[in-house]
Amino acid sequence: TPPTKLESEAKATFDKVGEGFAITKMELRIRGEVDGIDEDTFRQAAEGAKEDCPVSQALKGNVEVTLDASLA
């Protein structure tokens, strides 16, 4: 189901770690307008996209990545 509109935002948290700073958390927020699907289906699709994302894969195990997805 192609989306009519998608808006995404990523917020990185930098914290002091040892002698320097590091990204410790990445908060993803996505809002979408998609005809023909319900909220649960949208969240599942967004979660799948997060898991398959090359950036999420690079951060996995090093940075906490959270997702807040819902239909607009």
Side-chain angles (χ1 to χ4, degrees):
T1 304
T4 305
K5 182 178 183 179
L6 288 176
E7 293 180 353
S8 62
E9 177 181 295
K11 231 189 257 189
T13 300
F14 289 84
D15 287 317
K16 183 129 172 81
V17 177
E19 296 296 314
F21 288 85
I23 297 173
T24 56
K25 185 174 184 178
M26 184 68 65
E27 297 174 62
L28 305 174
R29 180 180 182 270
I30 186 147
R31 296 294 178 262
E33 293 177 12
V34 187
D35 292 334
I37 67 169
D38 62 16
E39 190 80 22
D40 217 30
T41 302
F42 181 76
R43 282 193 192 116
Q44 288 175 7
E47 187 64 41
K50 180 189 102 175
E51 291 303 316
D52 293 336
C53 170
V55 174
S56 290
Q57 291 296 317
L59 297 176
K60 191 177 272 186
N62 297 311
V63 175
E64 177 188 0
V65 179
T66 63
L67 174 65
D68 173 17
S70 66
L71 292 171

